[in-house]
Amino acid sequence: MDPLPMIPQANPGAGYQAQKAEIDAAVARALASGWYILGKEGEAFEQEFAAWLGTTRAIGCANGTDALALILRGMGVGEGSTVATVSHTAVATVAAIEMAGATPLLLDIDPDSYTMDPDELAAVLEDPPPGLPPVRAAIAVHLYGQACDLGPMLEACNRAGVALIEDCAQAHGATLHGRKLGTLGSAAAFSLYPTKNLGALGDGGVLATDDFELADRIAAIRQYGWRERYISAMVGVNSRLDEVQAAILRVKLTALDAGNAKRREIASRYDAALAGGPIAPPERRPGAEHVFHQYVLRSPDRAAMMAALKAQGIGTGIHYPAPVHLQPAYRDRIALGPAGCAETARAAEEVFSLPMYPELTEEQIERICAALATLGR
Ligand SMILES: *Cc1c(COP(=O)(O)O)cnc(C)c1O
């Protein structure tokens, strides 16, 4: 018997096929315009994204890592500043802090939601670890598509006079108490990497804020510090979103809300298939609407679970297999909070992610649910 065709864990090509005619037309329009960097498509995307999100400004840039680094640069958070975030995240979050010249301080997660432990944040803001520059900002990572426990985090940051930046790279469209993530902190960074809930067909990023002066500085910094052509008003970088990607993203943005709804529907099907078994479905934070960038399970027997799924033609992934503070480039030189990232290290050994994208077919969803119904039993 032929093996079942593999269901990939991510499938950005399917997102292109789902909107192919519109995307092809948008690309042709951008190519024919004769203008390829920072033009009409980019401006229209920034306006449409800001309107969708509900902020006054959105600024396109080269990728999500740059979006975070640009926010820090725009806030003047660089050398001589510490930025608190988590180790259980894409390495990009921590890389961006060092790109801006600041010092990362990595805190542990709450093991049920996989997001920053707000009590540890409050503790380090009240009683900063010795030997570090002052903490000037915290980056809240809304991991897997679900909000951090943002209320107490914002409270602790406000009390300490520290900026809270939202890393929304996995949380386009997610909400907390009815408000969109990316509108709750001082500024927010979104990755537009192809597999994200809003994905370009190449690299891209966008950041959003209601702070007019911050937006104005960042808009200059993303292009050599120019406020007028060829004259650098400040030290800048080059991090621009190109016109072809912007034109594609304008099409993709129209499908984002429906795509998130479909992800939630698939997640409920997975939940139901797991019910009564030894593996618990992902926790939902009360008051938070999840957008399931990833549907993540955990098991001390991860390798066996992944092998069982693979034998049934179901691809899985691990987000992420090594905490940032244990990776060779960071090990032994990155400051950790008082909890020592113990829950982070445990999660990295146990988590695995199921296939999750709106283009999963009914037949594929049924196959995955059938496998989940026997997983670990
Ligand atoms: C993807 C991602 C980023 C970085 O985005 P790039 O566009 O790849 O630079 C940052 N933070 C998180 C949590 C991510 O998932």
Side-chain angles (χ1 to χ4, degrees):
M1 205 178 82
D2 282 341
L4 286 167
M6 199 70 181
I7 303 172
Q9 199 267 326
N11 190 356
Y16 167 57
Q17 292 301 333
Q19 291 185 288
K20 183 176 187 307
E22 276 179 278
I23 290 173
D24 288 353
V27 169
R29 182 182 71 225
L31 293 179
S33 76
W35 190 280
Y36 303 113
I37 298 278
L38 296 189
K40 291 198 175 83
E41 299 290 342
E43 266 173 39
F45 171 67
E46 288 175 348
Q47 278 167 17
E48 288 158 12
F49 187 83
W52 168 84
L53 183 63
T55 54
T56 50
R57 277 296 289 278
I59 298 172
C61 62
N63 54 65
T65 314
D66 278 4
L68 285 167
L70 282 167
I71 291 169
L72 292 169
R73 285 180 200 278
M75 289 177 167
V77 175
E79 222 174 301
S81 306
T82 293
V83 179
T85 191
V86 285
S87 187
H88 188 66
T89 181
V91 72
T93 313
V94 182
I97 295 169
E98 293 200 322
M99 279 164 62
T103 303
L105 167 62
L106 302 185
L107 307 182
D108 210 356
I109 52 168
D110 151 52
D112 295 323
S113 67
Y114 305 105
T115 56
M116 186 186 284
D117 173 0
D119 293 336
E120 195 182 11
L121 177 64
V124 297
L125 292 182
E126 218 148 273
D127 186 13
L132 287 181
V135 181
R136 302 271 316 283
I139 300 179
V141 183
H142 302 302
L143 202 72
Y144 304 149
Q146 180 165 243
C148 292
D149 193 1
L150 213 54
M153 292 168 66
L154 276 166
E155 227 169 82
C157 285
N158 289 340
R159 216 180 308 125
V162 158
L164 188 141
I165 298 162
E166 295 178 82
D167 181 340
C168 293
Q170 303 190 2
H172 318 68
T175 64
L176 183 62
H177 302 305
R179 294 181 60 187
K180 274 212 179 89
L181 302 185
T183 64
L184 300 164
S186 304
F190 295 79
S191 168
L192 305 171
Y193 184 76
T195 58
K196 304 288 162 110
N197 291 39
L198 177 62
L201 302 179
D203 267 316
V206 62
L207 59 94
T209 182
D210 282 328
D211 181 334
F212 179 84
E213 283 176 19
L214 177 64
D216 183 57
R217 277 195 303 280
I218 292 172
I221 292 169
R222 84 167 155 183
Q223 182 168 234
Y224 321 123
W226 287 357
R227 284 213 166 95
E228 58 182 302
R229 207 167 172 76
Y230 304 127
I231 307 293
S232 294
M234 62 193 86
V235 175
V237 298
N238 175 4
S239 181
R240 299 174 297 215
L241 180 66
D242 70 70
E243 289 287 282
V244 171
Q245 294 305 332
I248 292 167
L249 286 160
R250 293 179 67 193
V251 176
K252 294 275 218 121
L253 183 60
T254 64
L256 176 56
D257 291 336
N260 284 341
K262 180 74 189 180
R263 286 171 187 264
R264 276 195 290 275
E265 181 200 317
I266 296 167
S268 312
R269 305 268 303 269
Y270 292 171
D271 289 350
L274 289 164
I279 298 182
E283 287 257 338
R284 314 300 206 269
R285 185 182 303 293
E289 192 167 51
H290 205 312
V291 292
F292 291 98
H293 173 61
Q294 300 293 357
Y295 185 98
V296 173
L297 300 176
R298 73 184 292 170
S299 165
D301 242 347
R302 171 171 73 191
M305 301 298 147
M306 291 172 71
L309 291 167
K310 190 176 174 196
Q312 297 172 78
I314 298 163
T316 53
I318 299 178
H319 304 92
Y320 295 91
V324 176
H325 72 280
L326 296 180
Q327 297 180 25
Y330 298 92
R331 183 193 283 274
D332 297 331
R333 71 173 186 84
I334 292 288
L336 302 183
C341 290
E343 290 295 349
T344 295
R346 211 163 63 82
E349 302 207 327
E350 296 184 353
V351 293
F352 61 105
S353 316
L354 299 183
M356 178 50 85
Y357 35 95
E359 299 79 19
L360 280 169
T361 65
E362 183 54 33
E363 183 263 326
Q364 290 175 321
I365 296 167
E366 279 169 19
R367 253 176 68 198
I368 295 166
C369 287
L372 293 178
T374 58
L375 194 66
R377 300 188 219 210

